[in-house]
């Protein structure tokens, strides 16, 4: 891996590439196996016990009897109960910034499917207004940034993010979710990664070719780095705040970093991801961090260098190959094609079994390769969870 990576902080050296764990009887994990199986049986018998959620145990590499399962965008428009709520509360920001509504929506899939993870209902863009970047999420149009950032002067107007002051409803929602879910599932928080946040703020919304942010990266990189640095510091605080409020796992979405060439990913995304992970690990060493990037097949090894605990794979990479490339130190999440949920019940089952077999018994969270698509039959989502929860390794 090239060492000429732009480093906005005096970073310590990058991690060594993934190494294979040798599994032998001298491995303490091996001796723990009987104990873990016992704990697992207890947890199954008494799901509201104080035993840690399955998802956390799986990420830590403990022996589990099946992979934990949750779905990205498991709350949303494919659900009738969500669409009904949208009629009454048509504004996305109201639905996501009001504690009662955010709790209700986060719990809709929990009540219907009992996933092993319950994700906060919010958006990666939610912190923006607290950073003096006005935005909205408009039906049929998606995110809109009212004054896209163009210059160093614009970056200077961006305010430091203080989650406690700007988004107290997020902390409150997470605390309530923890109480509601007990330890029957893990409560997940999430944030946007600096590059992906910057892409919205510079493009003015969603983008196809990312021409504006690339123009800035390649013509005035100082401006982009200044913005990325603010986002990185802000997301460190945001993750810490979410964890302190009740999130047991936090997923970092760098959905669009894969639009970058590997060399540009090393300059405009990786150092910031690494800064976030290093900083959070210092204050919250046992908080698992998941990293998702859409279409990340060309960048897997580089995503690993961020130091996260779990790499969330999309469906365009083969699970067996991804496992080989990443090694056994890191957990994986994914990676069934969200489109598979438009298939027959049998097809869905086959895809689940195939993914679980390829991922192996260790350190796997079953999920889709991206969010549940609008229009997905709700009964197919129910079937997905039923099949997944019926698995025994
Ligand atoms: O997963 C969950 O159930 C939690 C909720 C969640 C939302 N957004 C709610 C939402 C999460 C984790 C996100 C993350 C998010 N938001 C990402 C990263 C994940 C990814 O998809 O790659 C990104 C890039 C965004 C930005 C964003 N927000 C877009 C592009 C859109 C429009 C999408 C569309 O289909 O209209 C949003 C709006 C949004 N955020 C919706 C939801 C459920 C859809 C609008 C609605 O429900 O009214």
């Amino acid at each position: 891996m090239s060492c000429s990576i732009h480093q906005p902080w005096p970073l310590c050296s990058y991690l060594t590439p993934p190494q294979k764990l040798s599994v032998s009887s001298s491995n303490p994990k091996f001796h723990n196996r009987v104990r873990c199986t016992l704990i697992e049986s207890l947890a199954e018998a008494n799901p509201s016990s104080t035993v840690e959620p399955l998802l956390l145990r799986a990420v830590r590499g403990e022996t589990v009897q099946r992979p934990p399962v949750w779905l990205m965008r498991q709350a949303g428009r494919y659900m009738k109960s969500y669409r009904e709520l949208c009629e009454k509360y048509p504004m996305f920001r109201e639905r996501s910034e009001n504690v009662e509504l955010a709790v209700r929506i986060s719990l809709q899939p929990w009540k219907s499917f009992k996933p092993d993870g319950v994700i906060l209902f919010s958006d990666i863009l939610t912190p923006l207004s607290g950073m003096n970047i006005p935005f909205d999420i408009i039906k049929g149009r998606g995110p809109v940034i009212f004054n896209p950032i163009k210059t160093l002067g614009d970056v200077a107007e961006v305010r430091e993010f203080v989650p406690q002051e700007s988004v107290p409803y997020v902390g409150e929602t997470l605390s309530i979710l923890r109480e509601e879910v007990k330890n029957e599932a893990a409560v997940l928080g999430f944030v946007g990664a600096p590059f992906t946040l910057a892409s919205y703020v510079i493009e003015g919304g969603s983008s196809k070719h990312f021409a504006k942010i690339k123009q800035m990266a390649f013509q005035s990189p100082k401006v982009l780095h200044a913005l990325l640095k603010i986002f990185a510091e802000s997301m460190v605080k945001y993750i810490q705040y979410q964890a302190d409020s009740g999130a047991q796992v936090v997923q970092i979405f760098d959905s669009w970093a894969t639009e970058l060439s590997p060399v540009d990913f090393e300059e405009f995304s990786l150092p910031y991801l690494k800064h976030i992970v290093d900083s959070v690990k210092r204050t919250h060493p046992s908080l698992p961090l998941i990293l998702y990037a859409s279409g990340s097949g060309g960048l897997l090894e580089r995503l690993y260098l961020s130091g996260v605990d779990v790499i969330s794979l999309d469906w365009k990479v083969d699970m067996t190959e991804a496992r080989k490339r990443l090694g056994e130190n890191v957990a994986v999440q994914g990676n069934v094609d969200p489109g598979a949920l438009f298939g027959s019940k049998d097809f869905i089952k086959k895809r689940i079994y195939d993914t679980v077999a390829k991922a192996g018994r260790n350190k796997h969270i079953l999920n889709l390769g991206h969010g549940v698509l609008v229009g997905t039959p709700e009964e197919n989502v129910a079937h997905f969870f039923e099949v997944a929860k019926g698995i025994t390794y």
Side-chain angles (χ1 to χ4, degrees):
M1 189 72 46
S2 150
C3 278
S4 60
I5 297 172
H6 173 91
Q7 296 191 353
W9 292 273
L11 298 177
C12 42
S13 63
Y14 282 89
L15 300 172
T16 49
Q19 311 223 315
K20 291 231 166 203
L21 257 185
S22 72
V23 180
S24 73
S25 56
S26 62
N27 184 341
K29 277 190 189 144
F30 186 83
H31 294 293
N32 273 340
R33 221 157 257 171
V34 174
R35 192 177 65 88
C36 290
T37 308
L38 187 64
I39 291 172
E40 176 74 14
S41 321
L42 286 172
E44 293 290 335
N46 178 14
S48 61
S49 72
T50 51
V51 175
E52 276 200 312
L54 178 66
L55 193 147
L56 293 184
R57 288 182 282 125
V59 168
R60 297 200 174 117
E62 292 180 21
T63 302
V64 289
Q65 287 176 350
R66 66 170 177 86
V69 56
W70 71 282
L71 302 182
M72 288 185 267
R73 290 271 167 101
Q74 64 190 13
R77 285 168 293 183
Y78 77 95
M79 285 190 89
K80 190 164 174 274
S81 53
Y82 180 77
R83 291 195 303 272
E84 281 168 4
L85 219 109
C86 290
E87 277 171 27
K88 209 161 162 208
Y89 305 98
M91 307 304 289
F92 180 85
R93 289 199 53 187
E94 182 181 9
R95 295 196 293 279
S96 55
E97 296 178 19
N98 168 297
V99 175
E100 200 214 314
L101 291 177
V103 168
R104 235 161 98 189
I105 297 170
S106 308
L107 292 177
Q108 284 179 339
W110 167 245
K111 287 186 174 148
S112 297
F113 317 118
K114 285 282 175 312
D116 297 300
V118 173
I119 189 162
L120 162 78
F121 187 78
S122 181
D123 199 83
I124 58 165
L125 306 179
T126 299
L128 294 185
S129 50
M131 300 181 72
N132 195 28
I133 307 174
F135 80 102
D136 206 351
I137 293 178
I138 295 167
K139 195 176 172 199
R141 205 172 145 199
V144 177
I145 309 298
F146 297 121
N147 307 304
I149 285 179
K150 297 188 181 78
T151 64
L152 215 46
D154 296 336
V155 177
E157 300 283 306
V158 176
R159 257 204 316 261
E160 190 194 332
F161 184 50
V162 184
Q164 294 81 347
E165 286 170 16
S166 300
V167 294
Y169 48 85
V170 167
E172 245 182 274
T173 301
L174 284 166
S175 308
I176 297 172
L177 289 178
R178 269 301 288 282
E179 277 169 33
E180 289 285 329
V181 171
K182 304 192 179 67
N183 260 342
E184 293 171 43
V187 171
L188 292 106
F190 68 92
V191 301
F195 181 81
T196 291
L197 291 174
S199 79
Y200 283 99
V201 160
I202 293 162
E203 300 286 337
S206 298
S207 175
K208 243 195 185 141
H209 301 296
F210 297 85
K212 290 182 183 142
I213 191 169
K214 287 192 181 180
Q215 184 180 354
M216 188 184 280
F218 305 148
Q219 273 197 19
S220 26
K222 273 193 185 146
V223 182
L224 182 55
H225 280 301
L227 181 63
L228 292 169
K229 195 168 174 173
I230 298 173
F231 279 137
E233 295 295 2
S234 299
M235 293 308 115
V236 169
K237 286 191 195 142
Y238 198 22
I239 294 174
Q240 291 166 332
Y241 170 70
Q242 292 189 20
D244 292 342
S245 304
Q248 292 160 294
V249 185
V250 173
Q251 179 150 332
I252 304 169
F253 285 98
D254 208 352
S255 302
W256 312 128
T258 45
E259 290 294 322
L260 293 166
S261 313
V263 66
D264 297 318
F265 176 80
E266 287 176 4
E267 175 169 353
F268 297 106
S269 177
L270 183 56
Y272 299 97
L273 290 171
K274 186 148 173 47
H275 176 72
I276 292 173
V277 176
D278 287 348
S279 307
V280 172
K281 291 284 172 198
R282 272 197 291 275
T283 57
H284 297 73
S286 60
L287 177 77
L289 295 173
I290 306 175
L291 175 60
Y292 175 82
S294 171
S296 61
L299 290 173
L300 283 190
E301 292 80 0
R302 286 172 177 82
L303 293 179
Y304 176 83
L305 294 177
S306 65
V308 292
D309 306 275
V310 187
I311 307 272
S312 190
L313 303 163
D314 85 353
W315 69 99
K316 294 167 204 163
V317 62
D318 179 79
M319 179 58 90
T320 310
E321 288 167 19
R323 276 291 208 188
K324 260 193 213 136
R325 286 169 62 189
L326 289 166
E328 290 171 20
N329 283 345
V330 74
V332 291
Q333 175 170 274
N335 71 341
V336 177
D337 180 350
L341 289 174
F342 290 102
S344 69
K345 298 261 188 326
D346 239 24
F347 181 82
I348 294 168
K349 189 178 188 175
K350 276 192 194 123
R351 283 298 163 93
I352 293 173
Y353 284 179
D354 182 51
T355 305
V356 172
K358 284 178 169 175
R361 290 173 174 221
N362 217 1
K363 293 192 171 192
H364 176 223
I365 303 170
L366 180 62
N367 204 317
L368 298 175
H370 205 162
V372 182
L373 295 165
V374 176
T376 300
E378 218 170 314
E379 61 174 283
N380 288 1
V381 174
H383 178 68
F384 189 99
F385 279 108
E386 208 179 294
V387 171
K389 294 184 77 180
I391 290 171
T392 321
Y393 282 134

